[in-house]
Amino acid sequence: MTVADAVLAVMFVGLTAYALFAGADFGAGVWDLLAGGTRRGRQQRDQIEHSLAPVWEANHVWLIFVLVVLWTGFPPAFAAIASTLYIPLTLAALGMIARGSAFAFRKSITTLGMQRFFGAAFAVSSLVTPYFLGAVVGGVASGRVPQGIATGNVVTSWVNPTSTLGGVLAVLTCAYLAAVFLCLDALREGRTELAEGFRRRALGTAAVTGLVGLGGFFVLRADAPQLAEGLFGRALPVVVLSVLAGLASIALLVLRRYAVARVTAALAVATILIGWATAQYPYLLLPDLTIADAAAGRPTLVAMLVSLVLGSLLLVPALVYLYRLFQHAERSTP
């Protein structure tokens, strides 16, 4: 493994963490959107807000981390992605801003009309933001982001079958993660009926995600053949592991083993990203920009790798403590 490979591997750890934690965060907003009217959806929204409030701002640290590593360690790839896919990236950024603002303001506003307005802004932003991020991944994975600054088509690079598939799968995956995570949160607080509701949502979303994933095979074969070849070639063991983890999650949900289901659900999502990375290795941008060609100079990469290792000694324990602290905190309101 080269230094460039090591830096990229660390970046993918950050990307996976963002997909899991921010993914569940976005998914909770999707369930907020589908909770129903003010009275009918009150308990579900109350549970979602209680679960998100302590940690939601910490999740975007991972996205900033990924962008900084990509920018510093692989500047040609960052320049190509940012200049070709600036429309969905900008829309995703606006969605994050609107989502965060609405989530904060909804708690401080007392009038029902404004609460509904900010609640709708929070929920809709939670739906469209992961779609745009998934569309970006689809554009990169399908080879529609060529080398150079603004050399790709700024519309078809993210409005295409693979990007649509990526966006839909991103939304479904986020919703599935959130439902699985919320099952345990609700059960821990004695809300058995609410936990059952999230369990049904998780099982239904898992079924829909599986069907979309099966259909996605044909989309990739037609629209992104190089990626499809890698997924069902060198990355096939990872794909199989993802499927097995997903099936295990479904079985655990049926048995109401929510704590273990969280682990298998996270594994299913993480292996999807690992499979993507494995499928297009050693290319950073398909079809011809390799990791070695995109990497910065060795002194920069070494300095970055050392900084990342040292920084993780401070960041990771703090984040672990944050999540454990609020996962075990008692609810202060009935």
Side-chain angles (χ1 to χ4, degrees):
M1 175 182 287
T2 66
V3 178
D5 289 337
V7 172
L8 190 63
V10 174
M11 189 191 81
F12 252 85
V13 171
L15 183 62
T16 302
Y18 184 69
L20 294 177
F21 296 116
D25 197 348
F26 287 129
V30 173
W31 294 123
D32 189 291
L33 177 66
L34 301 176
T38 303
R39 292 186 177 180
R40 186 163 63 91
R42 181 177 179 180
Q43 284 194 341
Q44 184 172 318
R45 291 191 176 97
D46 183 51
Q47 179 63 57
I48 289 170
E49 182 175 305
H50 177 68
S51 297
L52 288 186
V55 297
W56 69 278
E57 287 185 297
N59 293 327
H60 293 305
V61 169
W62 294 112
L63 180 60
I64 296 170
F65 168 80
V66 170
L67 292 176
V68 169
V69 173
L70 183 62
W71 179 17
T72 308
F74 307 92
F78 179 88
I81 293 171
S83 60
T84 297
L85 295 168
Y86 71 88
I87 295 177
L89 287 171
T90 301
L91 292 173
L94 291 174
M96 293 175 197
I97 295 169
R99 184 177 184 275
S101 302
F103 184 73
F105 288 141
R106 184 171 67 171
K107 296 179 64 177
S108 59
I109 295 296
T110 57
T111 58
L112 181 59
M114 292 304 296
Q115 284 181 342
R116 287 176 173 173
F117 171 77
F118 285 120
F122 165 71
V124 172
S125 298
S126 298
L127 177 68
V128 300
T129 301
Y131 178 85
F132 289 128
L133 292 175
V136 168
V137 172
V140 173
S142 61
R144 289 182 166 89
V145 182
Q147 298 184 55
I149 298 177
T151 55
N153 190 296
V154 297
V155 176
T156 59
S157 59
W158 64 281
V159 181
N160 58 75
T162 302
S163 289
T164 301
L165 174 66
V168 172
L169 281 177
V171 173
L172 290 172
T173 300
C174 290
Y176 173 66
L177 280 174
V180 173
F181 287 8
L182 286 166
C183 283
L184 185 59
D185 283 354
L187 185 64
R188 185 184 291 122
E189 296 175 20
R191 295 184 159 192
T192 306
E193 185 177 345
L194 200 57
E196 283 295 311
F198 285 124
R199 172 177 168 270
R200 291 191 296 270
R201 290 174 176 83
L203 290 171
T205 308
V208 175
T209 304
L211 291 174
V212 173
L214 288 175
F217 167 75
F218 300 100
V219 173
L220 294 181
R221 284 290 299 270
D223 192 60
Q226 189 172 351
L227 176 65
E229 182 180 353
L231 283 173
F232 297 95
R234 69 166 70 93
L236 184 59
V238 184
V239 174
V240 172
L241 177 59
S242 180
V243 173
L244 292 176
L247 293 174
S249 299
I250 294 173
L252 290 166
L253 286 170
V254 171
L255 296 173
R256 296 175 176 82
R257 300 290 301 275
Y258 299 137
V260 188
R262 281 186 170 190
V263 177
T264 53
L267 178 62
V269 174
T271 45
I272 291 174
L273 292 174
I274 296 172
W276 165 41
T278 304
Q280 69 176 57
Y281 184 84
Y283 296 100
L284 197 54
L285 293 179
L286 295 173
D288 52 18
L289 182 63
T290 64
I291 297 171
D293 292 338
R298 181 179 176 82
T300 300
L301 294 176
V302 171
M304 173 174 285
L305 193 59
V306 172
S307 300
L308 292 174
V309 172
L310 294 177
S312 67
L313 298 178
L314 297 174
L315 177 64
V316 173
L319 286 174
V320 170
Y321 177 70
L322 174 68
Y323 285 112
R324 286 186 60 84
L325 177 67
F326 288 104
Q327 281 292 298
H328 295 283
E330 292 186 359
R331 193 178 181 88
S332 59
T333 59

